[in-house]
Amino acid sequence: MFLSDDREWPAPATNPENEAFFVAAAQGRLLYGRCRVCGRAHYYPRYSCPHCFSAEVDWVEASGRGHIYTYTVTGAASDRQVLAFVELEEGVRMLSNIVDAAPEEVAVGALVQVAFGRAGSVRVPVFVLEQVGERT
């Protein structure tokens, strides 16, 4: 799902190490790393495993579904944003924004689905609340 709203986030620094991540995001796919040595998953996109420091990391496509682990509301009243740690079904936690929801609708444990917003010339993962009964 690509967002068509007018909010734009600051562009992340792209480089050869995270290029595959941003190419996939432009296609509407969310990737995370999985280490071939220790087997653990990780996010932020990088060549090396932050758990065992191995350089044997594969990109894996995430389901894009998860729940809010914790969150905070930031910004002035006229421009509130919800910043959250989302725990994906695959066990990876990632920091992102919850969009298309009023801050009072957001709760720890709420189910979310990835969407992609614009950040400069690239797409970045953000999350929307799932509607009751949406998950199968």
Side-chain angles (χ1 to χ4, degrees):
M1 164 195 302
F2 291 103
L3 296 177
S4 59
D5 67 7
D6 61 354
R7 181 177 297 263
E8 187 170 313
W9 289 271
T14 58
N15 57 53
E17 187 171 29
N18 62 25
E19 180 181 16
F21 175 84
F22 289 110
V23 167
Q27 299 166 350
R29 299 181 307 121
L30 177 61
L31 300 182
Y32 65 92
R34 178 165 301 282
C35 180
R36 282 181 264 145
V37 174
C38 71
R40 294 177 69 182
H42 66 269
Y43 177 86
Y44 187 81
R46 59 181 65 110
Y47 284 143
S48 62
C49 175
H51 306 292
C52 72
F53 307 110
S54 167
E56 296 183 42
V57 173
D58 292 320
W59 290 110
V60 180
E61 187 170 349
S63 66
R65 294 186 304 269
H67 68 273
I68 296 173
Y69 180 78
T70 190
Y71 72 97
T72 190
V73 179
T74 65
S78 61
D79 187 34
R80 292 274 186 235
Q81 294 186 45
V82 179
L83 187 61
F85 273 104
V86 171
E87 186 166 323
L88 298 176
E89 287 181 340
E90 294 82 5
V92 176
R93 285 190 193 137
M94 59 185 291
L95 186 63
S96 189
N97 290 82
I98 306 299
V99 299
D100 291 346
E104 57 272 9
E105 296 176 78
V106 177
V108 169
L111 299 178
V112 293
Q113 175 69 45
V114 73
F116 294 89
R118 173 99 22 228
S121 63
V122 299
R123 292 284 184 171
V124 293
V126 296
F127 288 84
V128 295
L129 296 175
E130 284 193 359
Q131 302 302 315
V132 175
E134 188 174 311
R135 194 171 285 196
T136 56

